[in-house]
Amino acid sequence: MRLPEHLELLLTDEPVLDVYSYGPWRVPDGLFEEIGARIDALAGDPRCAELTTDEHKLLTLPAPLVVAEIFGILAFLPGGGAIKGGSWSQLPERLLRRHMVNPGPLSTRMTRWDAPGGRWRPPVDWLVEAPDRELAIELARDCLAVLEGIEPLEQRRTALLRLYDDPPACEVNLPKMELRENWHAHADDEILAAVPELLGPVGYLEWVCSGLLAAHEALTAVAPREEPVEVHLIHLMLQGSIEQVPGELAAALGPDMYGELNARFPVERRGFKPGPWQEQTRAWLVRALVAGAADACRAWLDMAMRFVAILQGLPGDPWFPKPEWIPVGQFQTDLRRLFAPRRRVVNPLTARLKTAAEPAAEEPGAAAGGGELVSTLVGQPEVSAVLAEIGEQREPVRLLLAGPDGTGKRDAAQEVSKVLRMGRDPLWLTDNLFAGQRLSDAVAKLHADARDCAHERLLVIEGLDDIATDPGNGEALTEELHRLLAVHPDLNLVALCDEGGDERIRQVNPALLQRLRIARTRPFTAEGHAELFRRALRRHGARATRQALAAAGRLLEAAPPAQTLRNARLAPHLADLVVAAVRERTEPGAELVVRQRDIPATLETAPGAGDALAELNGLIGLETVKNEIALLVASTRAEQLRSESGLSLTAPTRHMVFTGNPGTGKTMVARLLGRIYKQLGVLSSGHLVEASRAHLVGEYIGQTAPRTRRLVERALGGVLFIDEAYTLTQSPLRGDYGHEAIAELVKLMEDHRDDLIVIVAGYEREMAEFLAANPGLDSRFPKQLHFPDYSDDELVAVFEQLAAADGFRLAPGVPDRLRAMLRRAPRGPSFGNGRLMRNLLDLAVANQAQRLAAHVAPAANGRSANGKAPVNGKAPAKGKAPGKRQLVTLTAEDLPEIFDHPEELFGLYL
C-alpha cells in the first residue's frame, strides 16, 4: 500500500504548500522572502505614498492600500472556500508578516489547513478608496504581479493578469460592484475555466456542485456508503448550519433534485448530529484511502468545503466556512498515520508458532522477498529463466536487461518488483533526470534515491548506457553507482539499456558490470508476435482462429518499424485495425471473431498510401526537382537489378541537401521521397521525422549527443528532415553545442546508411556555409537539390489547387486579381511562395464568410454591412440564406485590397 508519488511530499518535513486543487508543492528556498521583498518595494512605491487605510483589522495602521489589496488576493487565489494546507500554508502570515498588527505563530505542521473564502474580486477591492481609479487598477495589477512564482496559484494569477491586460470598455469610475460586473462579464472562457468565481455566486455554485457530485461518485465506487446522494448533500448543508435548502440550488442542481432535497430536508434535519456524521465520514475516507483513492478523497474534501462556503455566503460570494465539521484535519492525520514510514519489530510469535512445514529462516528467497514468479513475458527465454531464479535466491537483485526497444524490458522490471513483494512500487529513474545537471547535484540525487530504496523498494534505472556515455557526468555517475551497490548490500537494482548497451557501459566502467547479472532480450519470432496479438485481441473482447493468429504472427514479424512503433508495440496497432473492421461486419452483441481473411496482406506503420511517385509528378512546378528524383529512382532500380544478378555492389549514400526559399515544397517532397524509397524497398518504413536545431542541441553539456541519437533512432527506417540546418553552425555563443550535434549526426548517418536518409534544408547561401563547417559534411551529402521560387502562374495554380482541396471554386476574375497582386509583391528571401498562397486562401475564406453573413441581412441603403456593394449589383432578399453555389465560390472581392505599398499587405496579413 503506497501513496501516489505526487502526494509523497505530504509525508516529509519539507516546506510544503498544499492547495488541494493543485497538489502538494515544495516551496523553493528563499522564494517567500523574495516575494515579501517585492511586496515591500511596491508598498514603498511613490505612487502609493498617500494611499493608506485605517480600517483593516489585521494590518498595522495606517496600512498601505496595496498591502490590504494583496491580503485579499492571497485569500482569493487558492479558490473560494478551497482547502489550503501544508507546513507553509500560512501565506498572509509568511508574506505580509512585517505589516501585520498581531501576527500569530508560524506553524510547520504538515496537517495544518485552512479554507479562506476570498471575497476579493477584480479589478479592485481595498484600492477602490484611491482617488485616481485608473491608478488603482494599475496598482491592483501590480499586486498580482509581485506574487509571481507560487506555482499552485500561477494558473489563476496569470488568468487574472490577462483580464487586466484586456479590460472591458467601460467607465472606470463606476461603483465598485458595477465595475466588477463589467469586468467579470468581459472574461473569456479560458479565464472563467481558471477562475470560476467570476461566474457569480450561482454560476460558481453550479461549478462546485458538478465537481462535488463527480467526486462523490468516484469515492462511493471504491468505498460504498449507504447514503443516497440527496441525503449526502443535505448532511453537508446541516453540518454547515444551513437552516433551509437555498433556492439557488434549483439552478445549480436542476428542479428535480432541488425538489427531492426540499422534501427530505425536514426529516434528515430532525435526527442529524454533526459529531457522529463527522466520524462516519472520516471512516468512509479512510476506507477510500486504503483502496487507493487518495486523490478522490482530496477532491471530495475540497469540493465539500467550497460547497459549504458558497452556501453560507449566499446571496453573496463564498466566505470562510463555519462550523468546520468536514474532517479535513482528521483526513490529513490519517493519511500520514497510514502511509508514513513506520518502525517495525518482529513479534516472536511469528517464528514460535510457524509450522515445521513452513520454516521462516530457511525459506528460499526470504532475503529477496520470497515471491513465486509466474512470468507473463513472451518470447524471452533468457529473461524468463533469470526471473524464475529470483524467487529462489537469497541475495539482492542486481540485474541488467539489454535489448532492443519494445522487447519487454520494462515488463520484466515490473515482474521483478512483484516477486520481491517489497510493499512499495519501484522507483524509476531515467537518463533524462541526470542530463545537464551539475555533477554534485546528480550524485546527491543518486545517493538519496539509493538510500530511499535500500530494503524498501526496487530501484529501476532506465537508459543506464546513456547515463554511462554522458561525456559530462557519465564516468563519475557509474563509479558512484558501483560504490552504492557496495555500501547498500540490501539494495535491489534493475537497470535497462539498449541493444549493445552493456558493451558501452563496459567501456566506461567494467567493474560495474561485474556487480550486475546481464540478461538480453531479443526481437520476437512469428510465434511470439502471434501470442502478443492474441493478448491484444483479448483486451478488445475478441478472439482469433488459429489460422488468423499464425497469419498475424507472420505479418508482424515482417512489418517494418516506424519511430517507436516496433516489436511488441506492433501487435496492439494491428489489433486496433483488425477489430475495427470485424466489429463493422458483426451483429451487435455477437462475439468478435477474427478470421484469417481479416488479417491484411501488409501492415503500414507509416502514414501515406498510394503511388508517391505519381503524387510527386502531380505537384505544381518543381520540374528540375522532379527530373532529379526521377534519375535517383532509375538509379535505385538499376542497382536492384544488378544485385539480383549477383553483382557485388556498395550501397550508395542517399543523404541530400535541399536548398530554396520558404514555401517551395521542400518538406512535402521529403515526405514523398520517404514513401518512394519505401515502395522501392530501400527504406523499411518511409516515415518522415521533422527536426530543427532545438531537437538536436541541448542546453547543457552532455545533452546534445543523447538528444541527437534519440532523434536518429526515431527516424530509422525513414527520412530525417532537418530544416534550417545552418543554424547548427551560426550561434554567436562560445561553447555552443551545435558542432557537437553535427559530429554525432555524421557518425550516426554512416552507422545507419542502409535504412536512413538524412535531408538538411535551408537557404542556398547559408547551406553552403553549413556544409563547409565540418570536413565530413560535404562528402556525406553527395546530392543537392535546389527548389526554385514559384512563378506567378504556378502560384495561381497552387492557390486553385488548395482551394479545390478545401471544397471551393474560384469565380472569374480571381486568377487575374491574384496575378496583379503577385506582380507587385516584393520577392525577397522571406517571400512565402506556397505558404503565401495558403495564407491568402485562409484570408479569402474569412472575407467570404463575412460577405455572406452580411448579405443575409443587408443594410437599408442596399450595401452590405462591410460597406461593399453586393455581388452582381444585387443583394439577396433580406434574411435569405445563400445557395450552395455561393457558399463554395470565392470572388475577387474576397481577396485583400491591392495597396499602394504591397509590403503592407504581406506584413499585416501574412
Side-chain angles (χ1 to χ4, degrees):
M1 188 174 69
R2 179 187 167 214
L3 201 61
E5 189 169 351
H6 66 279
L7 298 180
E8 287 188 346
L9 262 179
L10 298 174
L11 306 180
T12 69
D13 295 323
E14 299 285 335
V16 171
L17 171 61
D18 181 21
V19 177
Y20 270 33
S21 58
Y22 178 88
W25 176 67
R26 204 276 188 190
V27 180
D29 296 339
L31 174 64
F32 278 12
E33 290 79 2
E34 178 186 335
I35 295 175
R38 288 186 222 147
I39 294 172
D40 291 344
L42 179 60
D45 190 300
R47 297 173 297 167
C48 308
E50 303 299 326
L51 303 181
T52 61
T53 179
D54 291 324
E55 297 182 4
H56 204 289
K57 297 179 180 179
L58 300 178
L59 298 177
T60 303
L61 303 180
L65 286 179
V66 290
V67 175
E69 191 83 15
I70 290 172
F71 198 104
I73 292 174
L74 287 174
F76 176 79
L77 281 182
I83 297 175
K84 169 169 61 74
S87 56
W88 278 43
S89 59
Q90 296 166 284
L91 293 181
E93 290 84 350
R94 290 188 179 274
L95 298 176
L96 303 175
R97 194 169 187 82
R98 192 176 70 82
H99 299 276
M100 298 183 71
V101 62
N102 188 23
L106 293 177
S107 171
T108 56
R109 291 183 299 107
M110 192 64 75
T111 54
R112 191 208 168 274
W113 69 279
D114 58 59
R119 288 193 170 178
W120 178 88
R121 293 291 184 277
V124 286
D125 188 20
W126 285 90
L127 278 165
V128 75
E129 299 179 15
D132 184 342
R133 185 63 63 82
E134 289 185 355
L135 174 62
I137 293 174
E138 178 185 331
L139 290 174
R141 189 196 187 284
D142 291 345
C143 290
L144 279 168
V146 299
L147 296 177
E148 180 184 5
I150 307 176
E151 195 62 36
L153 311 181
E154 274 299 282
Q155 183 185 13
R156 289 166 60 86
R157 189 189 72 87
T158 54
L160 291 168
L161 284 176
R162 288 198 300 273
L163 187 55
Y164 279 92
D165 293 338
D166 180 26
C170 67
E171 171 59 43
V172 297
N173 291 313
L174 292 171
K176 181 167 74 172
M177 297 307 296
E178 190 174 341
L179 183 63
R180 284 179 174 178
E181 289 175 3
N182 279 278
W183 277 60
H184 299 175
H186 185 65
D188 59 32
D189 289 346
E190 187 178 355
I191 294 174
L192 292 175
V195 194
E197 294 92 330
L198 302 187
L199 293 165
V202 176
Y204 184 51
L205 176 61
E206 182 178 17
W207 182 87
V208 169
C209 286
S210 64
L212 176 60
L213 294 178
H216 178 264
E217 182 180 358
L219 273 186
T220 53
V222 297
R225 188 176 186 183
E226 295 181 2
E227 181 185 70
V229 65
E230 294 84 1
V231 174
H232 183 73
L233 294 176
I234 291 171
H235 287 172
L236 274 175
M237 286 187 272
L238 291 172
Q239 68 82 29
S241 300
I242 305 298
E243 298 295 330
Q244 57 188 358
V245 180
E248 288 86 349
L249 282 174
L253 296 171
D256 292 340
M257 184 173 282
Y258 174 70
E260 185 70 17
L261 292 175
N262 264 322
R264 288 176 177 253
F265 192 85
V267 178
E268 295 296 330
R269 182 180 182 182
R270 283 196 293 270
F272 180 77
K273 295 181 179 179
W277 178 86
Q278 184 189 55
E279 290 303 316
Q280 293 166 9
T281 303
R282 178 182 185 178
W284 176 52
L285 294 174
V286 168
R287 286 190 289 118
L289 261 181
V290 299
D295 285 317
C297 292
R298 287 164 55 87
W300 178 84
L301 286 166
D302 191 42
M303 288 298 119
M305 191 62 71
R306 293 176 192 244
F307 180 72
V308 173
I310 186 64
L311 290 187
Q312 291 179 348
L314 289 174
D317 293 317
W319 197 231
F320 292 86
K322 56 181 181 179
E324 295 164 351
W325 286 102
I326 298 176
V328 180
Q330 294 91 328
F331 167 79
Q332 297 187 150
T333 300
D334 290 336
L335 185 142
R336 289 177 67 89
R337 181 170 58 88
L338 289 169
F339 293 100
R342 299 185 299 277
R343 297 176 62 184
R344 292 179 172 87
V345 294
V346 176
N347 190 319
L349 291 177
T350 59
R352 189 183 308 163
L353 301 180
K354 194 81 170 177
T355 64
E358 297 176 327
E362 290 77 20
E363 184 179 3
E372 179 182 349
L373 178 69
V374 179
S375 176
T376 60
L377 293 181
V378 174
Q380 304 299 342
E382 182 177 346
V383 178
S384 295
V386 172
L387 295 178
E389 296 175 13
I390 288 176
E392 302 175 359
Q393 70 184 29
R394 302 173 64 91
E395 298 297 323
V397 174
R398 305 286 174 83
L399 180 62
L400 175 66
L401 298 174
D405 196 23
T407 51
K409 292 177 291 185
R410 295 188 184 94
D411 291 338
Q414 294 285 12
E415 293 199 355
V416 171
S417 175
K418 291 176 183 177
V419 74
L420 292 179
R421 297 179 183 175
M422 305 191 73
R424 298 177 68 188
D425 290 344
L427 175 63
W428 288 77
L429 303 179
T430 67
D431 57 296
N432 288 328
L433 293 172
F434 298 98
Q437 286 200 38
R438 292 184 303 175
L439 178 59
S440 58
D441 293 338
V443 169
K445 174 172 177 52
L446 189 61
H447 274 261
D449 290 335
R451 285 196 306 271
D452 179 59
C453 291
H455 194 64
E456 291 288 334
R457 63 200 302 194
L458 175 66
L459 177 62
V460 181
I461 301 180
E462 190 169 352
L464 182 59
D465 50 339
D466 287 330
I467 293 175
T469 54
D470 185 321
N473 298 336
E475 186 175 351
L477 285 174
T478 53
E479 181 57 32
E480 287 299 323
L481 181 59
H482 176 258
R483 184 179 296 113
L484 287 169
L485 291 176
V487 171
H488 298 287
D490 52 355
L491 176 63
N492 291 278
L493 169 71
V494 174
L496 315 182
C497 66
D498 290 332
E499 188 174 19
D502 52 327
E503 288 304 316
R504 290 193 289 273
I505 297 170
R506 191 186 308 278
Q507 293 172 8
V508 177
N509 193 322
L512 176 60
L513 282 191
Q514 294 177 1
R515 291 189 174 273
L516 301 175
R517 179 172 181 177
I518 302 173
R520 294 179 175 83
T521 60
R522 62 188 188 188
F524 297 98
T525 62
E527 292 75 15
H529 277 296
E531 173 59 20
L532 292 169
F533 180 67
R534 185 189 68 79
R535 296 184 184 187
L537 289 180
R538 188 171 60 192
R539 288 191 287 272
H540 283 282
R543 66 176 180 87
T545 63
R546 188 166 55 250
Q547 295 83 357
L549 288 175
R554 292 191 297 271
L555 172 64
L556 291 168
E557 186 181 31
Q563 301 193 50
T564 57
L565 194 62
R566 58 184 69 233
N567 294 315
R569 298 166 191 155
L570 290 167
H573 175 65
L574 176 61
D576 291 342
L577 299 176
V578 170
V579 170
V582 171
R583 187 172 278 117
E584 289 182 2
R585 64 169 171 78
T586 304
E587 293 292 329
E591 183 184 17
L592 297 174
V593 181
V594 177
R595 306 190 184 282
Q596 186 172 2
R597 65 175 181 270
D598 299 316
I599 306 299
T602 59
L603 180 61
E604 288 296 333
T605 55
D611 189 343
L613 191 57
E615 289 183 40
L616 175 69
N617 291 327
L619 295 178
I620 293 169
L622 304 177
E623 297 305 323
T624 57
V625 173
K626 293 175 186 176
N627 292 336
E628 291 288 346
I629 292 179
L631 291 174
L632 293 174
V633 171
S635 299
T636 301
R637 287 174 174 160
E639 291 162 10
Q640 292 172 335
L641 291 174
R642 295 188 189 101
S643 177
E644 291 169 1
S645 300
L647 298 175
S648 178
L649 298 172
T650 301
T653 300
R654 294 187 170 87
H655 309 302
M656 303 181 196
V657 178
F658 285 3
T659 61
N661 290 330
T664 49
K666 298 186 291 296
T667 306
M668 181 168 51
V669 170
R671 183 175 286 107
L672 289 173
L673 194 59
R675 289 171 52 197
I676 290 170
Y677 275 127
K678 163 68 166 59
Q679 292 166 358
L680 290 172
V682 173
L683 296 175
S684 61
S685 172
H687 66 282
L688 179 78
V689 175
E690 296 184 58
S692 63
R693 173 187 168 88
H695 296 91
L696 292 155
V697 179
E699 299 175 10
Y700 308 103
I701 187 171
Q703 285 184 322
T704 298
R707 186 176 290 187
T708 304
R709 282 199 301 272
R710 284 194 292 269
L711 186 66
V712 169
E713 288 167 3
R714 284 178 53 209
L716 287 179
V719 174
L720 174 59
F721 181 80
I722 304 175
D723 199 11
E724 297 182 341
Y726 51 84
T727 58
L728 294 171
T729 61
Q730 287 187 343
S731 174
L733 302 175
R734 292 184 60 190
D736 179 72
Y737 305 127
H739 290 278
E740 181 185 347
I742 293 173
E744 185 70 18
L745 182 64
V746 167
K747 176 181 180 298
L748 294 169
M749 288 165 58
E750 190 64 28
D751 292 345
H752 302 290
R753 61 184 298 172
D754 294 336
D755 201 17
L756 174 70
I757 294 176
V758 176
I759 298 176
V760 291
Y763 294 111
E764 189 170 14
R765 181 174 60 83
E766 285 82 351
M767 290 306 297
E769 296 173 356
F770 166 74
L771 294 175
N774 184 294
L777 272 180
D778 198 30
S779 61
R780 296 301 195 284
F781 293 97
K783 194 69 178 175
Q784 298 189 25
L785 300 184
H786 179 67
F787 287 66
D789 285 348
Y790 288 103
S791 67
D792 289 355
D793 288 338
E794 288 172 341
L795 287 173
V796 172
V798 168
F799 188 91
E800 292 174 337
Q801 188 179 68
L802 292 172
D806 288 352
F808 291 95
R809 58 180 293 275
L810 305 184
V814 173
D816 292 338
R817 176 70 173 269
L818 275 172
R819 289 187 182 92
M821 296 175 65
L822 291 169
R823 280 195 296 271
R824 304 181 64 183
R827 294 291 185 103
S830 60
F831 180 73
N833 287 290
R835 295 178 195 169
L836 172 62
M837 293 300 99
R838 164 50 66 187
N839 291 337
L840 272 176
L841 176 62
D842 292 342
L843 183 60
V845 171
N847 288 340
Q848 186 229 34
Q850 184 182 31
R851 171 172 58 82
L852 293 177
H855 285 170
V856 172
N861 63 1
R863 297 182 69 83
S864 301
N866 61 4
K868 295 182 180 179
V871 182
N872 300 325
K874 297 180 181 179
K878 184 175 181 178
K880 181 179 179 181
K884 182 177 180 180
R885 186 177 181 84
Q886 288 176 293
L887 290 172
V888 298
T889 300
L890 298 176
T891 67
E893 70 172 322
D894 294 325
L895 294 172
E897 299 286 347
I898 303 178
F899 294 172
D900 292 334
H901 300 284
E903 62 273 10
E904 295 180 21
L905 167 69
F906 301 105
L908 291 175
Y909 288 94
L910 308 174

